[in-house]
Amino acid sequence: MTFGIAIHGGAGTILRSQMTAEKELLYRNALQKALDAGYHILERNGTSLDAITFAVTELENCPLFNAGKGSVFTHDGTHEMDASIMRGDTLEAGAVTSVKNIKNPVKAARAVMEKSEHVILCGPGAEEFARQQQIVFESEDYFYDQFRFEQWQKAKSEGKVQLDHSDEKKFGTVGAVALDRFGNLSAATSTGGMTNKRYNRIGDSPVPGSGTYANNNTCAISCTGHGEFFIRAVVAYDVSCLMEYAGLTLEAACKRVVNDKLVKLGGEGGLIAIDRAGNICLPFNSVGMYRASRKEGMHREICIYKD
């Protein structure tokens, strides 16, 4: 059985003209590190679930991406994080929303899936559960980033809620999808949400079927974009449905959802997908998307821009 993995670090207005060579190298190295972490697990006959957990953990540990350590500031100057994970063999899923101080929310989401009878836990309750499961917590200082702080101050002064940072209009969610040698698909997504967000706003990332979905009969999906539109369009599940019920290929299903349905709604962003045969598709309707993938016996591919 073949295997493969794909990851993303967000989509949006990511222009070559706005990227220094040094910053681009940092992003490429971070994507490669996360991709390799997941791929090496698959290569050693590990599970897709472990592969995506390790890949997303690496992305959460990198301050370049809006997840984990790099999470943006809320209106109150805190960090509220969301994450979800799903396995394609049993359709089990786990998610946490509006959690604070958890170093790796994807691990908390996996604990919800594996150690509870629930699917989604929120806020203080999710944090209490994470502590019981010995998930690592960090102080507020760990999540402080000067660049994120300046974004927050700018957003506050303008009275705006921003998707990561509006100057570049980047959706900084991270995610991973994988197929292992045993034919099992898995998907995970993690995010810090919107800069200056209020009212415990929740996007698509922790919602199974909208931001994350995996089904061994079809595909595994992780989304990044304007969450409200991805929730309304049930994007991740819609790709799977088009494959299962309409008989579309992975590429055709992704194209219809991302470049047709979402565009008509006004939704911007993209997704990463892998099907049960190991085919990988990385569509987006924005200017760019941080993405990387690798299949068995092939070289890794790391891309940022549309061209």
Side-chain angles (χ1 to χ4, degrees):
M1 187 80 186
T2 189
F3 62 88
I5 184 171
I7 64 171
H8 71 77
T13 308
I14 306 165
L15 299 170
R16 200 184 302 271
S17 60
Q18 295 177 350
M19 186 85 70
T20 64
E22 292 78 12
K23 192 171 184 180
E24 180 175 329
L25 183 61
L26 287 174
Y27 274 109
R28 288 186 178 276
N29 286 343
L31 289 168
Q32 179 178 325
K33 184 178 181 182
L35 183 73
D36 289 350
Y39 184 83
H40 292 329
I41 289 173
L42 297 173
E43 198 174 32
R44 295 192 293 267
N45 296 326
T47 66
S48 59
L49 202 58
D50 284 343
I52 61 168
T53 302
F54 274 76
V56 172
T57 294
E58 288 289 348
L59 294 168
E60 288 176 335
N61 291 342
C62 178
L64 291 172
F65 305 106
N66 178 19
K69 185 175 177 62
S71 293
V72 297
F73 284 82
T74 68
H75 180 76
D76 296 325
T78 61
H79 305 276
E80 290 180 2
M81 298 168 285
D82 308 325
S84 64
I85 195 166
M86 186 167 180
R87 54 187 298 167
D89 54 348
T90 63
L91 300 186
E92 290 176 288
V96 293
T97 73
S98 300
V99 295
K100 299 176 181 178
N101 299 103
I102 295 179
K103 182 179 181 180
N104 296 112
V106 70
K107 292 184 178 179
R110 182 165 175 176
V112 172
M113 179 179 71
E114 295 180 334
K115 306 294 184 180
S116 82
E117 65 271 33
H118 308 301
V119 174
I120 304 176
L121 297 182
C122 178
E127 294 160 17
E128 179 185 356
F129 176 78
R131 288 190 177 92
Q132 291 176 358
Q133 301 303 316
Q134 299 183 315
I135 301 297
V136 176
F137 279 68
E138 294 285 355
S139 67
E140 281 296 312
D141 290 343
Y142 172 82
F143 299 94
Y144 181 87
D145 179 81
Q146 186 62 31
F147 177 62
R148 298 296 191 204
F149 180 79
E150 291 171 3
Q151 285 178 357
W152 172 48
Q153 293 300 305
K154 185 173 185 293
K156 277 183 67 176
S157 68
E158 296 175 354
K160 293 180 179 178
V161 176
Q162 298 179 331
L163 285 157
D164 193 349
H165 36 292
S166 61
D167 290 342
E168 297 177 20
K169 199 176 177 185
K170 173 177 166 289
F171 312 104
T173 307
V174 306
V177 296
L179 171 71
D180 60 34
R181 290 188 191 274
F182 312 104
N184 292 319
L185 291 160
S186 298
T189 312
S190 181
T191 188
M194 289 181 167
T195 299
N196 201 38
K197 69 179 179 180
R198 304 178 71 175
Y199 317 120
N200 299 115
R201 176 265 182 186
I202 297 169
D204 66 305
S205 295
V207 182
S210 291
T212 307
Y213 190 71
N215 187 327
N216 276 7
N217 292 325
T218 53
C219 60
I221 305 283
S222 175
C223 300
T224 173
H226 196 310
E228 279 70 14
F229 292 96
F230 281 67
I231 293 172
R232 287 163 54 192
V234 200
V235 168
Y237 183 58
D238 201 19
V239 173
S240 175
C241 282
L242 287 169
M243 295 178 67
E244 185 169 7
Y245 302 123
L248 270 62
T249 64
L250 180 69
E251 183 177 4
C254 287
K255 184 176 180 179
R256 180 177 297 185
V257 173
V258 175
N259 297 320
D260 182 19
K261 289 188 173 185
L262 265 178
V263 170
K264 288 176 179 176
L265 279 178
E268 184 179 349
L271 58 83
I272 55 174
I274 186 169
D275 68 15
R276 61 180 183 175
N279 297 305
I280 293 174
C281 194
L282 314 172
F284 54 97
N285 61 36
S286 50
V287 176
M289 182 169 76
Y290 296 108
R291 59 202 188 278
S293 63
R294 188 176 182 186
K295 293 172 63 175
E296 181 184 19
M298 300 180 70
H299 295 294
R300 68 171 77 88
E301 292 186 9
I302 301 173
C303 302
I304 297 175
Y305 314 107
K306 179 157 281 188
D307 54 344

